Amino acid sequence: MSTDTSATRVVHGTCHHDCPDSCGWHVTVAGEGPTEQAVQLRGNPAHPFSKGELCPKVNRFLDRVYSPERILHPMRRVGPKGEGTFERISWDDALDEIATRFHSIIAEHGAEAIMPYISAGNQGLLAIMFGDRFWHHLGASRVLGALCGATAGAGASATNGTGKGIDPSDMVHSRLIILWGTNTRLTNRHLWPFIEEARAAGAQVVVIDPLRTITADSADWFLQPLPGTDVALMLAMMHVLIRDGHVDQQWVAAHTIGFDDLTAHVAEWTPARAAATTGLAVDDIERLATMYGTIRPSAIRTLIGAEHHEHGAMFFRTLTCLPALVGAWRHQGGGYARSVGVWSNDVMDHAALTRPDLLAGRSPRGVQMVHLARLLTGDPDALSDGPPIKAVCMISVNAMVSVPNTELLRQGLLRDDLFTVVHDQFLTDTARYADIVLPATTHIEATDVVTSWGHLYLGWNEAAIAPLGEAVSNSELHRRLARAMGFTEPALFDDDLTVLRDTLPTIDLDELRTDAFVKVPYPDDGRPFADGGFTTPSGKVELRCDLLAALGQPALPTYSAPSEAAFAPRFPYALMTPKVHTRFLNSSYSHLPKHGPLEGSPFVEVHADDAAALGLTEGATVRVWNDRGELVLPLRLSDRVRPGVVAVPWGWWANQHPGSSPTGPVANSLTNDTLADWGGGSAFWDTQVALAPTPTAFM
Ligand SMILES: Nc1nc2c(c(=O)[nH]1)N[C@H]1C(S)=C(S)[C@@H](COP(=O)(O)OP(=O)(O)OC[C@H]3O[C@@H](n4cnc5c(=O)[nH]c(N)nc54)[C@H](O)[C@@H]3O)O[C@H]1N2
Ligand SMILES: Nc1nc2c(c(=O)[nH]1)N[C@H]1C(S)=C(S)[C@@H](COP(=O)(O)OP(=O)(O)OC[C@H]3O[C@@H](n4cnc5c(=O)[nH]c(N)nc54)[C@H](O)[C@@H]3O)O[C@H]1N2
Ligand code: SF4
Ligand SMILES: [Mo]
């Protein structure tokens, strides 16, 4: 757990950010009691995946911990919502006020009028899930779906019955690696050395992305389809694989259902047809399919970005059919590599952590996480049954930056009759709208276990220092809320170590605490599905999925254009709002002085042809708008986007936009909050906008 020298001690930790790499770290702490200070935070060289390296965000993590901007005590809002004026109050007063409001809301509207809103700002098991116990016991609205990951998992599960894929680091054995809708070098940087290792052994690396990312720049071959059109490309690949005899007939016969239906279905998906839909060249589609049909082992790697579409689940459902057709699962380094968090589920007793039994037979109504803006503004389609939302408790989320349709969300958060609680480390754009702001610990101030979605190691995180000020961890917050509400159910008050022991019954926590990480079970030969073993109703890869048909979705992989395309006559440009900054992790860091300013400031990337057609030049001030919102940004001429596609980097808070204020618009002011086809994600990147010059000048 820690190594002591006379002056300092070194404590094991694991990064908590919503990042696939879950790096191991060491915190060096000097002093005791009032003089205690974390003096260094460095990568743990023994960590098998991150190998001692962190990243440009977390190399300066202590700037975050000791930032003068940290919220260190509870606060009550004293000015108008959004203005950001608060007074310091005691924890007792804060909890009293919350409990009083919750009790009166429950008496008048029922507990479903209260909504927890917990995202993955801290991915520790306790941080993200222990609170479920409290919300279950309260009978609050159940939050369905997620801002991240739910659609991808649901799409892959339709085909395979499970979200499981191969261990991404096994791609060292691959000879063809297709990075499909993932920006590895930025978002999953510690995987890149494994890819380079494969490449040194002869692997070819193909990137498929509507944006020419830094990963695309490092690929052997880059394909740039129009956003949201990949399913057409996949169907044409299937067409070529079948036409040219590249299907592994033996594997398909043994481990799939629906091949004949699929064959008939993709007959019309010629490369020429897919070329017209995707904007790719026919020859490139043929070449990609032939490579995929002939090179072994082949791995398709994807992560999250491609799910942010109305047909995001269909992307993942269709993609997972490809390795089955060519029998890619036969080989180590063959198959499909996505989030591997599902492997950790095998060692986790999820029910022991979240205690659904505390619902005590009730089944509170479900509300969609990505529909926060619609829920808070009483949209009857989003809130079809039950009471209006009267209170929201936001934990580990900066919704005003991260959730789609920000301007509608602002209207919701401005409601006088909405009681908003925010628990965070900083006065985020979201916290400004809170009635009560509560101080959160950083990850070096709380013990937890972090499961990873990028590698197979569980990581221990030991509290290295005592909480600063009056900050509390997410688990302690929920214990305090339970006490303030007058609840007596013992499970709401379990201490952290008890909860972790119950959650990870097969893991020796003392050993984990000493070693810092432990690998979750995974087949030794690295071929989890070589001989089938899928968990669909048929036990096979479902090329035809009758469960989907029962949900009203096509049983066979099917391309559909997004509904947002109907706005193209008024809003002709497709808008991407991606993660592009090496010093940002989602909405975190852009406000810190050694992070945000070093990344410049927001801009809109436009292809030279589009800029010329609009009469715009580099640095021009551009209005970017649609019916949801409007941004005014400097134009950057870019060959990273195709004509017809524009990009605004995401992660900036409002006041970092040129000429803006803390209550100004952000990238998500423009984005689409349509629910994905299934799984409960958002169609962030099916967003159409218009562009025009504007006379506004920036200082
Ligand atoms: N336009 C656009 N929008 C997007 C995306 C995109 O690519 N483009 N990406 C989407 C994706 S994939 C995701 S995951 C979401 C992420 O959206 P968020 O979940 O909002 O992002 P984070 O910045 O990771 O974390 C949010 C907050 O958690 C706080 N925090 C950190 N640790 C703790 C803790 O221990 N306790 C508490 N209470 N708070 C803590 C941080 O200070 C931060 O303010 O955004 C989504 N939104
Ligand atoms: N530096 C840094 N690292 C991060 C984060 C961060 O904010 N900053 N965020 C973390 C989080 S929360 C997550 S979820 C992961 C995400 O990890 P990734 O999924 O790798 O990253 P994204 O940038 O969300 O999306 C990947 C790519 O998908 C592309 N894409 C979008 N739509 C389509 C499409 O229709 N077709 C295809 N082929 N590609 C498409 C985008 O252009 C983008 O380049 O990254 C994590 N790592
Ligand atoms: S943000 Fe990601 S890459 Fe950076 S230290 Fe954390 S887990 Fe590692
Ligand atoms: Mo994410």
Side-chain angles (χ1 to χ4, degrees), residues 179 181-183 207-213 216 222-225 576:
L179 302 173
T182 181
N183 188 0
V207 168
I208 306 177
D209 198 307
L211 299 176
R212 193 160 63 72
T213 59
F222 169 49
L223 285 164
Q224 193 169 26
M576 312 284 291

Side-chain angles (χ1 to χ4, degrees), residues 102-381:
F102 278 13
H103 280 304
S104 80
I105 289 169
I106 293 167
E108 200 179 336
H109 303 279
E112 287 173 332
I114 302 174
M115 181 181 178
Y117 202 80
I118 308 174
S119 186
N122 183 332
Q123 293 198 127
L125 287 176
L126 295 168
I128 205 163
M129 280 185 278
F130 172 74
D132 286 3
R133 294 185 180 192
F134 170 79
W135 301 107
H136 284 151
H137 188 73
L138 187 79
S141 277
R142 277 174 313 119
V143 179
L144 310 175
L147 295 172
C148 173
T151 309
S157 298
T159 303
N160 290 345
T162 167
K164 281 180 178 168
I166 61 166
D167 175 357
S169 60
D170 259 0
M171 288 198 295
V172 292
H173 302 289
S174 312
R175 289 303 165 263
L176 175 66
I177 297 175
I178 304 180
L179 302 173
W180 202 323
T182 181
N183 188 0
T184 313
R185 282 194 55 211
L186 181 90
T187 59
N188 186 192
R189 54 187 287 129
H190 296 89
L191 184 62
W192 190 253
F194 295 89
I195 292 174
E196 285 292 6
E197 189 180 331
R199 203 182 218 176
Q204 298 185 59
V205 177
V206 180
V207 168
I208 306 177
D209 198 307
L211 299 176
R212 193 160 63 72
T213 59
I214 55 167
T215 309
D217 283 339
S218 307
D220 297 305
W221 188 30
F222 169 49
L223 285 164
Q224 193 169 26
L226 292 165
T229 63
D230 305 68
V231 171
L233 171 60
M234 296 168 201
L235 295 174
M237 285 174 72
M238 294 177 189
H239 175 102
V240 174
L241 293 171
I242 295 170
R243 183 196 69 195
D244 293 354
H246 293 312
V247 170
D248 183 334
Q249 295 291 352
Q250 201 190 9
W251 203 92
V252 164
H255 302 302
T256 73
I257 61 160
F259 179 68
D260 292 344
D261 295 331
L262 184 74
T263 303
H265 176 67
V266 300
E268 63 184 21
W269 272 104
T270 59
R273 181 174 171 191
T277 306
T278 58
L280 297 174
V282 172
D283 286 353
D284 286 343
I285 298 174
E286 291 275 358
R287 181 179 161 210
L288 178 69
T290 305
M291 285 169 79
Y292 192 63
T294 54
I295 303 175
R296 304 282 184 279
S298 65
I300 296 178
R301 166 67 172 170
T302 186
L303 213 49
I304 302 294
E307 78 163 28
H308 296 323
H309 290 274
E310 186 179 342
H311 303 293
M314 185 57 84
F315 173 104
F316 285 84
R317 183 269 187 280
T318 309
L319 195 70
T320 33
C321 293
L322 287 169
L325 290 180
V326 299
W329 297 110
R330 284 180 189 272
H331 314 279
Q332 185 170 21
Y336 170 59
R338 59 171 295 267
S339 306
V340 285
V342 252
W343 288 99
S344 310
N345 291 346
D346 294 348
V347 296
M348 264 182 69
D349 185 342
H350 195 263
L353 174 56
T354 62
R355 297 290 302 269
D357 57 296
L358 296 174
L359 285 166
R362 294 162 300 172
S363 182
R365 60 107 184 263
V367 289
Q368 291 290 344
M369 184 156 192
V370 304
H371 274 167
L372 184 65
R374 299 183 190 206
L375 291 165
L376 297 189
T377 49
D379 179 334
D381 289 336

